Amino acid sequence: MCLFCDIIEGKIPSSKVYENEKVLAFNDINPAAPVHVLVVPKKHFDDINDMASDPEGEIYMGEVIRAISEVAKIKGLENGFRTINNCGEDGGQTVKHVHFHVIGGLKLTEKMI
Ligand code: AMP
Ligand code: ZN
């Protein structure tokens, strides 16, 4: 069972921001900023490493980048935003379906932590 696969399949509701054939973007349930959207490939990859070793990883990553840019436009982040991917235990990844946080709507500092 994968939470984000269930969201993609519509078994669990989400607040959709953008969708195309290969990716889904929805609002984070516990936002860390005025805008906090998760961009997820519709194919299940555990994390960035899994994506990198899959023959289709490149195609999905290209779609993820375009979706991030679309989300930024939809959410009015013309002044900028931050994209974060948490990978694995030390990266603080809690949902084991690769996803990219798009955070904005405030002035972030240059420090990540
Ligand atoms: P990460 O720590 O990078 O794995 O991020 C997982 C993110 O998923 C967290 O920011 C959670 O708030 C978010 N999240 C967990 N469950 C849901 C859900 N049902 N709908 C939307 N976002 C969720
Ligand atoms: Zn999944």
Side-chain angles (χ1 to χ4, degrees), residues 2-6 8 43-45 96-97:
C2 168
L3 174 64
F4 287 174
C5 281
D6 283 351
I8 290 159
K43 176 170 176 171
H44 180 97
F45 302 99
K96 313 292 188 222
H97 180 129

Side-chain angles (χ1 to χ4, degrees), residues 2-88:
C2 168
L3 174 64
F4 287 174
C5 281
D6 283 351
I7 287 178
I8 290 159
E9 288 167 26
K11 292 181 191 157
I12 292 175
S14 69
S15 165
K16 185 166 75 177
V17 175
Y18 173 79
E19 182 174 22
N20 70 23
E21 192 200 325
K22 293 232 163 19
V23 297
L24 176 68
F26 51 92
N27 288 308
D28 195 294
I29 205 164
N30 185 21
V35 175
H36 187 168
V37 177
L38 301 176
V39 176
V40 305
K42 287 188 175 176
K43 176 170 176 171
H44 180 97
F45 302 99
D46 294 340
D47 57 22
I48 280 268
N49 294 328
D50 189 24
M51 226 178 165
S53 63
D54 189 293
E56 285 193 302
E58 224 174 284
I59 294 163
Y60 279 88
M61 197 62 207
E63 293 291 339
V64 163
I65 291 166
R66 280 184 280 281
I68 288 170
S69 183
E70 279 303 316
V71 165
K73 282 196 198 100
I74 290 164
K75 291 288 189 175
L77 304 179
E78 50 280 315
N79 215 33
F81 57 90
R82 180 169 293 163
T83 302
I84 296 171
N85 168 259
N86 296 326
C87 182

